[in-house]
Amino acid sequence: MARHSMREEIVDAAVAQFHSKGYNAAGVKDITDAAGTPKGSFYNHFDSKESLALVALNRYGAARRMQDLAASDVAPLLRLRTHFEFLRDETVNAGYTRGCLIGNFGAEVADHSETIRAGVRESLGHWASMIAGTLAEAKEAGALRADLDTEKTARFLLNAWEGTLIAARSSRSPGTFDDFFDTAFGTLLTPPPTQSQP
């Protein structure tokens, strides 16, 4: 198989380093060492660590399998649940140590870098839009209440998910995930009540 370009190797290493160490603790040398590339080559591909962080955010987002949310051959709420189950399993398999890179950047860097704050906002906005589209399909199919605000609910679910990740990482336990799934799919995202016949 063909070797990745040096730029791609730096991006892959950046995602891993930012995810495991955080933005501030992952230096350019850490990233280029992990990529197996000379530090001097970094600036042939990126203007700054900030600009690399934006590319890393996009790469990370693409790996969240968000395209699965638009898979029309699967029922909307099932594909939404499967999406969050994939993310849960990824976190559990990593030993509860990394959380979500988008949320991590939002908590660590957004107050100090307008560039990264904008990148986080765009990433969350795209994610929420994908979830909202799935909810709209479920609503149209009669699987959700007709008065459900799909965009607001999508943002709420995403905010709840990011909070769930923080709690799961602190407890090192799956119980927080159970709370999320029970509340999201057992209470919030439920079909409208059936009307009794007169």
Side-chain angles (χ1 to χ4, degrees), residues 6-196:
M6 187 176 291
R7 183 182 189 278
E8 291 301 295
E9 289 176 349
I10 291 171
V11 174
D12 288 344
V15 172
Q17 291 291 307
F18 287 147
H19 208 183
S20 62
K21 294 181 177 180
Y23 178 83
N24 291 316
V28 169
K29 187 173 188 311
D30 296 317
I31 293 167
T32 54
D33 284 352
T37 60
K39 182 179 178 182
S41 67
F42 176 89
Y43 294 101
N44 294 331
H45 302 282
F46 301 99
D47 295 334
S48 64
K49 185 174 152 185
E50 273 186 333
S51 66
L52 172 59
L54 293 182
V55 177
L57 271 178
N58 288 334
R59 175 69 54 83
Y60 176 81
R64 300 309 88 210
R65 294 186 357 194
M66 291 191 197
Q67 70 276 8
D68 292 354
L69 290 170
S72 58
D73 58 331
V74 179
L77 292 183
L78 176 58
R79 82 176 83 122
L80 182 61
R81 185 180 185 109
T82 301
H83 173 70
F84 283 116
E85 286 174 344
F86 160 72
L87 299 177
R88 175 202 61 198
D89 293 346
E90 188 178 57
T91 300
V92 172
N93 292 336
Y96 300 94
T97 57
R98 294 183 302 183
C100 169
L101 184 62
I102 301 168
N104 293 350
F105 271 14
E108 181 189 5
V109 196
D111 286 344
H112 312 290
S113 166
E114 176 58 30
T115 299
I116 293 178
R117 186 177 78 81
V120 168
R121 184 179 66 242
E122 182 178 329
S123 295
L124 290 173
H126 173 67
W127 195 357
S129 175
M130 295 294 290
I131 294 171
T134 306
L135 293 176
E137 285 184 56
K139 182 175 166 180
E140 186 176 340
L144 294 173
R145 296 191 331 264
D147 63 346
L148 186 78
D149 184 323
T150 55
E151 292 187 5
K152 186 181 294 186
T153 302
R155 291 192 298 271
F156 174 81
L157 285 170
L158 199 46
N159 292 338
W161 178 252
E162 291 295 334
T164 295
L165 287 176
I166 292 170
R169 290 174 69 190
S170 65
S171 68
R172 296 287 198 269
S173 149
T176 307
F177 290 123
D178 294 340
D179 292 345
F180 173 84
F181 283 99
D182 289 348
T183 303
F185 294 95
T187 302
L188 179 61
L189 303 178
T190 55
T194 55
Q195 294 185 350
S196 57

